[in-house]
Amino acid sequence: MQPDNETQPSEFLLLGFSEDPALQPLIFGLFLSMYLVTVAGNLLIILAILSDPHLHTPMYFFLSNLSLVDICFTSTTIPKMLVNIQTQSKAISYAGCITQMFFFLLFAGLDNFLLAVMAYDRFVAICHPLHYMAIMNPRLCMHLVLMSWIISVLHALLHSLMVLQLSFCANLEIAQFFCELSQVIHTSCSDTFLNDVLLFLAAMLLGGGPLAGILYSYSKIVSSICAIPSAQGKHKAFSTCASHLSVVSLFYGTGIGVYLSAGAAPSTASSATASVMYTVVTPMLNPFIYSLRNTDIKRALKGIFAQKL
């Protein structure tokens, strides 16, 4: 289908959650609170890891990177939504939409890969404890994080360049509170077959691949834990990966739930509300999961607050 009016629009409209003016202050306050909690919580995790030499280990190195990515992830979408509510506007410029989409894909991909890397770290720690420091050396840790960045940047760049080739016509409404890739593609009046194929392949390879690695790692971890003779040893081994397993379940559970709910009820409100779970709620809860279930993090946080008092 050929474009009727223009090939490059000046702006898109983010429909968000509700058009009811009475709900806008409530939505603004709720998301501002969640954003501030997310940033503060993840910053505290990073500061705790940096300030405590005992936490300068591969596991906490990956955790600090995950916290940084979660801050960037929420900062990609929430501030723009808050500005739009304050200005009573739904508009986002064409360049702003493509930029937001690029960074959203980048940080979502990094979350995905870092969770897989952390699963591998727990696999080596529990299944090969005697060789842990030799295998998870600083060079390998840096390479794993660097490869996660490179693949995520290339993935986000590829999708963004593909979207730039599309033409857009009259209907420029996006049934989300941010420029979500599939929503942007579906507003185009061009042939989006290649974009849809690329989206499917990327979801299978870059989404399914890390998830398969996580499941494989935990299958080996469970086998190793079951082989431990003492109940105390089993509990200690499981406690080292309980927080990560909780975050993995939350991230993938909400992510899969979003697309299932969007397919079952593709209305604006339901789609946007479902997306909040993995774009806002998960990054907000991650610091609490790691701090509440981790004595090392709690000790480091107490040290930080003790210094301030």
Side-chain angles (χ1 to χ4, degrees):
M1 180 178 177
Q2 295 300 317
D4 298 326
N5 296 322
E6 56 182 349
T7 59
Q8 226 180 59
S10 60
E11 62 183 25
F12 290 92
L13 296 178
L14 301 175
L15 299 184
F17 300 97
S18 172
E19 296 185 5
D20 186 355
L23 290 178
Q24 300 310 305
L26 176 63
I27 294 173
F28 180 87
L30 177 63
F31 278 88
L32 177 61
S33 301
M34 289 195 293
Y35 178 65
L36 293 176
V37 170
T38 300
V39 173
N42 282 288
L43 276 177
L44 281 174
I45 294 291
I46 295 172
L47 289 174
I49 293 171
L50 291 176
S51 64
D52 191 338
H54 295 98
L55 300 184
H56 295 175
T57 63
M59 180 175 73
Y60 294 111
F61 170 69
F62 297 134
L63 176 57
S64 62
N65 277 273
L66 181 68
S67 294
L68 176 61
V69 168
D70 280 342
I71 292 173
C72 297
F73 189 33
T74 52
S75 298
T76 301
T77 57
I78 301 302
K80 176 58 180 174
M81 185 191 74
L82 296 177
V83 169
N84 279 6
I85 292 176
Q86 279 295 87
T87 58
Q88 298 182 355
S89 169
K90 296 181 180 295
I92 181 171
S93 67
Y94 176 76
C97 186
I98 300 299
T99 302
Q100 186 185 68
M101 184 182 67
F102 170 83
F103 284 107
F104 180 86
L105 291 171
L106 168 61
F107 295 122
L110 278 168
D111 252 341
N112 193 29
F113 285 116
L114 286 174
L115 288 175
V117 167
M118 293 171 76
Y120 175 70
D121 173 75
R122 293 299 82 207
F123 160 73
V124 175
I126 294 174
C127 299
H128 305 283
L130 299 179
H131 304 285
Y132 177 71
M133 294 310 298
I135 296 174
M136 300 303 297
N137 57 75
R139 181 182 177 131
L140 177 63
C141 294
M142 289 297 297
H143 283 172
L144 288 173
V145 172
L146 182 60
M147 285 303 299
S148 298
W149 273 93
I150 291 173
I151 296 173
S152 298
V153 167
L154 292 177
H155 169 240
L157 187 60
L158 178 59
H159 279 299
S160 300
L161 291 175
M162 290 288 289
V163 169
L164 287 173
Q165 306 304 311
L166 298 176
S167 299
F168 297 88
C169 303
N171 185 20
L172 300 178
E173 295 181 344
I174 298 175
Q176 273 289 3
F177 63 95
F178 64 98
C179 288
E180 199 260 337
L181 176 60
S182 63
Q183 295 276 355
V184 173
I185 290 174
H186 292 150
T187 62
S188 172
C189 51
S190 302
D191 182 3
T192 61
F193 175 75
L194 287 178
N195 298 80
D196 291 330
V197 169
L198 180 62
L199 186 60
F200 175 77
L201 291 177
M204 293 296 293
L205 294 175
L206 302 183
L211 178 58
I214 291 171
L215 294 176
Y216 176 79
S217 296
Y218 274 103
S219 69
K220 293 296 185 181
I221 289 172
V222 170
S223 298
S224 296
I225 291 177
C226 290
I228 298 175
S230 68
Q232 184 179 1
K234 289 180 179 180
H235 180 267
K236 184 178 180 181
F238 179 74
S239 65
T240 63
C241 56
S243 297
H244 177 258
L245 188 58
S246 300
V247 171
V248 166
S249 302
L250 188 63
F251 180 78
Y252 284 101
T254 55
I256 293 172
V258 164
Y259 291 101
L260 291 179
S261 64
S267 67
T268 301
S270 63
S271 176
T273 303
S275 297
V276 171
M277 291 305 298
Y278 77 100
T279 59
V280 183
V281 174
T282 299
M284 180 182 69
L285 292 181
N286 284 358
F288 294 99
I289 293 173
Y290 277 105
S291 61
L292 293 176
R293 300 182 64 93
N294 191 302
T295 56
D296 293 331
I297 293 288
K298 284 191 284 188
R299 186 186 65 245
L301 289 174
K302 287 179 182 177
I304 291 176
F305 289 120
Q307 291 176 2
K308 299 297 182 183
L309 296 176

